[in-house]
Every structure is written in C-alpha cells, then in structure tokens.
Amino acid sequence: MKKPFAITLALATLATLSGIALARQNAAPAEPIQPIAPAKVTQPALVELGKKLYFDPRLSRSGAISCNSCHNLATGGTDNLRSSIGDRWQQGPINSPTVLNARFNVAQFWDGRAPDLKAQAGGPIANPGEMASTHELAIGVLRAIPGYAPEFKAAFGDAAIDIDRVTTAIAAFEDTLVTPDSRFDLWLKGDRKALNADELAGYALFKDTGCVSCHNGPAVGGTSFQKLGVAEPFRTDNPAIGRAGVTGKESDRNVFKVPTLRNVELTYPYFHDGSVNSLEEAVRVMGRVQLGRQIGDDDARKIAAFLRTLTGRQPSIVLPALPPSVASTPAPQPF
Amino acid sequence: MKKPFAITLALATLATLSGIALARQNAAPAEPIQPIAPAKVTQPALVELGKKLYFDPRLSRSGAISCNSCHNLATGGTDNLRSSIGDRWQQGPINSPTVLNARFNVAQFWDGRAPDLKAQAGGPIANPGEMASTHELAIGVLRAIPGYAPEFKAAFGDAAIDIDRVTTAIAAFEDTLVTPDSRFDLWLKGDRKALNADELAGYALFKDTGCVSCHNGPAVGGTSFQKLGVAEPFRTDNPAIGRAGVTGKESDRNVFKVPTLRNVELTYPYFHDGSVNSLEEAVRVMGRVQLGRQIGDDDARKIAAFLRTLTGRQPSIVLPALPPSVASTPAPQPF
C-alpha cells in the first residue's frame, strides 16, 4: 500500500514545515504520526487583524457569512453539515474541511487548487455560491470601516487595504489554529497511560490495516493526494471530480487531498460528500474502498476509539470586537 | 414630555434590579443615566453552559443558526442587518435588538411580549421563520449529545435536560452581557476629561431636547414602552404593530419598547425597521417624530458624538468548544 513512499513523503513534507518545533526527541522513533506543537505567534498584530477578518461577516455580500460560518471554531473548525450553506441559502457542492491544522496540508481545498492558506482565503469571499461578494466590493467595504485602518497599519506598517493583505492576515490567523496536546500526542511524548488498551489496539490496527499509509504526519493526513476508490468505487451522488478539475488529467479523477484526522471526532460528517455521520462507519467504508478490507465491527470500534484520542486542545479564541461600519460604509445586501 | 414620570419609572426599575452594584456614590446626583456595573458571575457553571447553548447552532433545525447568528457578540450583540436571516434565508420581520445590556430591559422583544431573558430565549428556537426547530426537537438533540450531560449536571445538580433549563442557562449567560466603562460612564464617575466639548454639548442637547425623557436609566432606554410617532407619523413599510399585538389594545398600536442606546454606535441600522444607517439621521428622525423638533445638522452631530461615548467595554467571550454530536444525535436538516 505504498507505505514506504507515503512515509517518505510525509517526512519530506515535515522537513519543509518551518517554525514547528516538534518534540521529536520524546516521540517513539518509528511512529508515523508526530505530535503537534503549540502555535508560535511572531506577528501578533497581523494575527489579531486576521482574526477580526475571519469573523467579519461584511466580507460577504449579505453581511451575514464569515469564514467562521463554515469553519466554526466552536465546532472543530467545520460547520458539521454535509455541505455548507452559502449566500441565499445555496447548497454548497462539497463538505467544508476543517481549518484546524490546515497549515499542515500540502495544499488547500479537497482538490488542492490553492497552494496555501493565503491563496485559499480569497476563494470563498468571491465565490457566488458562498460569500458571494467580490474582492473589489469586500475591499471597498473594509476601506470604508474607519476602525480597520489602524489595524492594517499595525500589521503592515501603513493603512493600505487590499486583497493581498486581507488574505495574508487571514492566513496568518489560520496558521495559529493548531490543536496540540491530544491524548495521542501525550502518549507519543511518553505518557504511557494517556491511551487505554482499546485505543492502543486501535492504533495498532490503524497501522497494520494500512490506514497510516495515507494518514500520517503531524496532521494524520493532509500530506498527499490519493484516489478515492482504490479497491472498489466510492458510491456518492456528489459530482466532485477531485484533482482532475485542477490538473485536467483524467488520471486525477476522484483524486482528493487526504484529509487530516486530527479532531476527527469533531469534524463529522465524513468524506468530501459528508455522507457518513458515524466514525466507525467511516472507518469501515475506508477499509473497503481504499484498502479492500472488511474491517469488523470490533476492529472499527477500536480504530475509532484511537481516532478520538486525536482530539487536541482547541484554540482559545477570544471573540473579536469588530470595528463598526459607518453611514458611508456600503450596506450589506442580504435580501 | 413626561420627564418626571419617566425618571420616576427609571428609578423604580433601577431599584428592582438585583445584583447590580451601581457606583452611584460617584455619579453626579442629578444625572438621568447611571453607569453600568461589571457583571458578577455567581453561578459560573450555569453561565458557561448558557454560553455553549448560545453559540450552539444545533438548537436550530438547519444546524446553522445559533443565538449568536442574529445577536453576534462580535458586532455589538446584533447582526447589523435591517432584519435578520432566518431558516432557509427567510427575511425576518423586525430588526434584531442587541443582547448587550438586555438584562436592563423592562421586557424583551420590541413589543415586550417576553417578560424576561428566560422567556425570550425559547422564542427564536421554535419560531419557524428564525431557528425553525421545536422545543421537543431541540431538547432531543441536546439529550443526544453526550458531552452536555455533565454540563447540565454541573449547572443544575443532575443531568436532566429540558427547555426550562436550556432557557435558564441561556438567560444566565445573557445576564452577564453588560458593557461597563464607556467613556460616558467614566465621566459620570467623575473623570471630567473623559468627554470632549462636542460630546458634552451633545449630552446637554440630549437632555434639553427631551431625548432623555425616554432614554434614561443605566441602559439609556429599555425602561418603558412608548408610542412611535408622537409628533408625526413614523413612515415605514414594516408591518409591525408593536405592543397592540400583545395587549390587544388599539391604543398600543405602534407602541414599542424604547431601545437601549448603550453601544448604539455598534447596533446600526436603527429603529425596529432597521431603516436608518446613520446615527445623525436617526437623531433627526427621532427629534421630528417623537419630539416635534427639527434638530439641526450641527446639533445632531453633537448628540451623535455624545451617543458614541456610550460604547462600553464589550464582554470578553472565549469561544466555547461545543460538545460533539455522535452518530445517534439527530442530524441537522439544512436542505
């Protein structure tokens, strides 16, 4: 199952992740999953601005949808819906991935069409089915909110506001959204009592069954693109074609970024189509579809028990007080 | 303009507000507005539970709308829309009032149909145009979220979950949402430099013009019901009839609760129909419609400058980490 390649890739990816001090000295040397380090905030003004923008619904045409609407930091960085609700209650085409630990992803979106968080951040703002604004309109709104000028000045040295700065700031905030100190991380760091027998058995199964060949690295995923439906087709009514939409290659049809399994207890429903609510069922489906293995109920239960130990310490987010609009700020258009 | 009566009412209301230690010893004795005291949390487990419920979108049918959707604590406890977006993007019938300092209101909703915060909290959950759930469904969802049981036990002594407890907890959280330490409060407490000359002139005009006859007390409003359109009709296409819908009395047509002016800089657009974006324009409209006075541009500017000194310290809200649903939790129905 490409295990050596995937691990090599994961380690190569790891090596390129700057600013992350993995406590590797304490990790069991052979483990294919590494602990997550707490965020290091080196540019607090930039991160604070990014947080405000992340929570600001005025980046949407309606004035009602913010980044946090679909990537809700109260609910694991997702909205826990099969697919999200966009402007005018449009049904989104695909399940919203979690923003937590998204910094570890090899690329952003299920199809990897954005190389990084900054490139991702501009997408939903201007997507007619999501926030349904335009970059021009959104920037016009922000420029007409007097309280943002000093924030941009503090973050960038002057008060100019453009989409490059907005997405830079949002990405800088998102870069801090990591979830260290999961029970599994404590175990990796040497606390042998952090996991119980079922959870340890689940981890052994996770490795032995082959799950770890794709779900590895600090985020337990996010390091590679893989075809969904290797052993048998993944049945769905979701029309997403995956990476083929980016590369134009027929061989990339149904190839998706491997999602992180960090906080997977919180990021239901599962898969790009959000079709499965049960973590145990998701494990069984993956075994069958990706690995050609029928995972029994007890094994699925143990693997799911292990996966629930990947729930980390959620970022402590003090809700920002957003600078108010004034009479000359373009009004939202909700109806 | 009923000034003596209104002040008497405000003081009577004040006298009944328990748990608020107003720093009255420092206030100028004759001022019709009193400083707001910081919240005193006496039941932290109850308040914490209430915060979780306040932010939990699973109280709605869609799984996407929480109390915070329309009473956003990042934006002055409102959504800054003329009227709110309900389930399936339905257009709400009336502007969402701020939850900040709502504890000071004589009753809740524009028409006062709920006597207190607890009675209010159950309304939107079951309103088909708002969160569109039912109390039965919402309670069924909460009971099927394992992580809530210990929270209810910590708050109430046992883990039973019912709508009475849910609304009690939400109200207990909302009871803490006060905004002390506005510049005007600092001035009231003796800091003579807290306001500039224009703001002080605006306060004098606010009193002399008659605004204060209704907008008084610690919340600068919220203490009485008043007819909208005393001096001339308030023109609107909003069909709300006000308190008449509660009392059945024709004399209560167009009678609304006087809104708080605390944080009015943040709670635009103004009036029950959300028809006015500019605070200066709102001041002029009120002068004409309620007081029969043409307030000139310069006076309106000064009154608005005073009103902006009523922006207080916003509650510091750490976003809660909501307990996850499990496979047996009733799934949201967004589409």
Side-chain angles (χ1 to χ4, degrees):
Chain A
M1 292 312 303
K2 304 187 204 155
K3 195 170 184 174
F5 169 73
I7 289 177
T8 306
L9 178 62
L11 292 173
T13 306
L14 257 177
T16 67
L17 289 169
S18 57
I20 297 290
L22 295 170
R24 301 208 62 194
Q25 65 283 7
N26 295 326
E31 301 303 341
I33 298 170
Q34 294 80 37
I36 283 186
K40 283 185 185 158
V41 176
T42 54
Q43 296 177 277
L46 182 65
V47 169
E48 182 61 27
L49 170 60
K51 183 171 82 167
K52 285 194 166 81
L53 295 167
Y54 187 90
F55 279 95
D56 200 325
R58 290 168 294 189
L59 291 179
S60 68
R61 176 172 65 146
S62 66
I65 301 177
S66 70
C67 304
N68 194 64
S69 298
C70 300
H71 304 284
N72 188 342
L73 294 170
T75 54
T78 71
D79 57 13
N80 293 143
L81 304 178
R82 289 184 65 161
S83 64
S84 297
I85 299 167
D87 189 68
R88 270 74 181 164
W89 211 272
Q90 292 174 82
Q91 183 168 2
I94 204 159
N95 182 258
S96 290
T98 180
V99 68
L100 297 177
N101 307 303
R103 64 162 293 162
F104 296 106
N105 289 335
V106 63
Q108 303 300 329
F109 295 115
W110 280 96
D111 60 8
R113 66 184 181 275
D116 54 29
L117 290 169
K118 178 174 185 297
Q120 189 279 333
I125 294 171
N127 187 323
E130 301 185 9
M131 297 166 84
S133 187
T134 63
H135 289 174
E136 294 67 30
L137 174 57
I139 296 304
V141 168
L142 295 177
R143 287 177 178 161
I145 298 170
Y148 267 126
E151 304 262 353
F152 277 81
K153 185 170 182 188
F156 293 103
D158 66 71
I161 300 179
D162 57 33
I163 190 67
D164 188 75
R165 287 183 169 188
V166 167
T167 54
T168 296
I170 292 173
F173 170 62
E174 293 176 339
D175 205 46
T176 69
L177 301 176
V178 296
T179 61
D181 299 340
S182 70
R183 285 200 289 123
F184 184 69
D185 283 7
L186 300 183
W187 182 84
L188 279 176
K189 290 180 176 181
D191 179 358
R192 296 293 117 177
K193 293 182 179 170
L195 300 197
N196 67 30
D198 271 0
E199 292 159 351
L200 283 171
Y203 180 45
L205 286 163
F206 185 81
K207 290 191 285 190
D208 296 344
T209 312
C211 314
V212 80
S213 64
C214 296
H215 291 286
N216 52 48
V220 201
T223 54
S224 65
F225 297 97
Q226 299 290 344
K227 186 175 183 71
L228 181 63
V230 173
E232 67 175 69
F234 178 85
R235 287 186 182 78
T236 181
D237 56 4
N238 187 295
I241 60 170
R243 192 130 180 85
V246 179
T247 65
K249 294 181 190 170
E250 183 57 30
S251 59
D252 281 336
R253 182 172 292 270
N254 296 331
V255 170
F256 294 93
K257 187 183 64 194
V258 175
T260 176
L261 296 182
R262 291 277 180 185
N263 309 293
V264 69
E265 175 185 25
L266 310 179
T267 62
Y268 55 89
Y270 302 113
F271 305 133
H272 72 281
D273 63 353
S275 58
V276 172
N277 289 315
S278 154
L279 187 52
E280 288 77 2
E281 173 67 8
V283 167
R284 283 189 296 265
V285 169
M286 281 287 96
R288 202 173 65 237
V289 166
Q290 295 303 96
L291 301 166
R293 298 178 75 145
Q294 299 290 336
I295 299 177
D297 284 354
D298 195 58
D299 283 358
R301 182 183 61 76
K302 287 174 180 163
I303 294 173
F306 155 65
L307 293 175
R308 292 192 180 96
T309 72
L310 295 171
T311 304
R313 180 159 49 81
Q314 302 297 293
S316 180
I317 305 292
V318 177
L319 206 63
L322 299 181
S325 296
V326 295
S328 57
T329 311
Q333 302 164 47
F335 302 109
Chain B
M1 290 312 304
K2 305 188 206 158
K3 194 170 186 175
F5 169 73
I7 289 178
T8 305
L9 177 63
L11 292 174
T13 306
L14 258 178
T16 67
L17 289 168
S18 57
I20 297 289
L22 295 169
R24 302 208 61 195
Q25 66 282 7
N26 294 325
E31 301 304 341
I33 298 170
Q34 294 79 39
I36 283 187
K40 282 186 185 158
V41 176
T42 55
Q43 296 177 277
L46 182 65
V47 169
E48 184 60 26
L49 171 60
K51 183 171 81 169
K52 286 195 166 81
L53 296 167
Y54 187 90
F55 278 94
D56 201 325
R58 291 168 295 189
L59 291 179
S60 68
R61 176 172 65 146
S62 66
I65 302 177
S66 70
C67 304
N68 194 64
S69 299
C70 300
H71 304 284
N72 188 342
L73 294 171
T75 53
T78 72
D79 56 12
N80 294 142
L81 303 178
R82 288 184 65 162
S83 65
S84 297
I85 299 167
D87 188 68
R88 271 73 179 165
W89 212 271
Q90 292 174 81
Q91 183 168 3
I94 204 159
N95 183 258
S96 290
T98 180
V99 69
L100 297 177
N101 306 304
R103 63 164 293 163
F104 296 106
N105 289 336
V106 63
Q108 302 301 330
F109 295 115
W110 280 96
D111 59 9
R113 65 184 181 275
D116 53 29
L117 289 169
K118 179 175 185 297
Q120 190 279 334
I125 294 171
N127 187 323
E130 301 185 7
M131 295 166 84
S133 187
T134 64
H135 290 174
E136 295 67 29
L137 174 57
I139 296 304
V141 169
L142 295 177
R143 286 177 179 162
I145 298 169
Y148 267 126
E151 304 262 353
F152 277 82
K153 185 169 183 190
F156 292 103
D158 67 71
I161 300 178
D162 58 33
I163 189 67
D164 188 74
R165 287 183 169 189
V166 167
T167 54
T168 295
I170 292 173
F173 170 62
E174 293 176 339
D175 205 45
T176 70
L177 301 176
V178 296
T179 61
D181 299 339
S182 70
R183 285 201 288 124
F184 184 69
D185 283 6
L186 300 184
W187 182 85
L188 279 176
K189 291 179 177 182
D191 178 359
R192 295 293 117 176
K193 292 181 179 169
L195 301 197
N196 66 30
D198 271 0
E199 292 158 352
L200 283 172
Y203 179 46
L205 284 163
F206 185 80
K207 290 191 284 191
D208 296 345
T209 312
C211 314
V212 80
S213 64
C214 297
H215 290 286
N216 51 50
V220 200
T223 53
S224 66
F225 297 96
Q226 300 290 343
K227 186 176 183 70
L228 180 63
V230 173
E232 66 175 70
F234 179 85
R235 287 187 182 78
T236 181
D237 56 6
N238 187 294
I241 61 171
R243 192 132 180 85
V246 179
T247 64
K249 295 181 189 169
E250 183 57 28
S251 60
D252 281 336
R253 182 172 293 269
N254 296 332
V255 170
F256 295 94
K257 187 182 63 193
V258 176
T260 176
L261 295 182
R262 291 277 179 186
N263 309 293
V264 70
E265 175 183 27
L266 310 179
T267 62
Y268 55 89
Y270 303 114
F271 306 132
H272 72 282
D273 63 354
S275 59
V276 171
N277 289 314
S278 154
L279 187 52
E280 288 77 2
E281 173 66 10
V283 167
R284 282 189 297 265
V285 169
M286 281 286 95
R288 202 173 66 236
V289 166
Q290 295 303 96
L291 301 166
R293 298 179 74 146
Q294 299 290 334
I295 299 178
D297 285 353
D298 195 56
D299 283 358
R301 182 183 62 75
K302 287 174 180 163
I303 293 173
F306 154 65
L307 293 175
R308 292 192 181 96
T309 72
L310 295 171
T311 304
R313 180 159 49 81
Q314 302 297 293
S316 180
I317 306 291
V318 177
L319 206 63
L322 299 181
S325 295
V326 294
S328 57
T329 310
Q333 302 163 47
F335 301 110

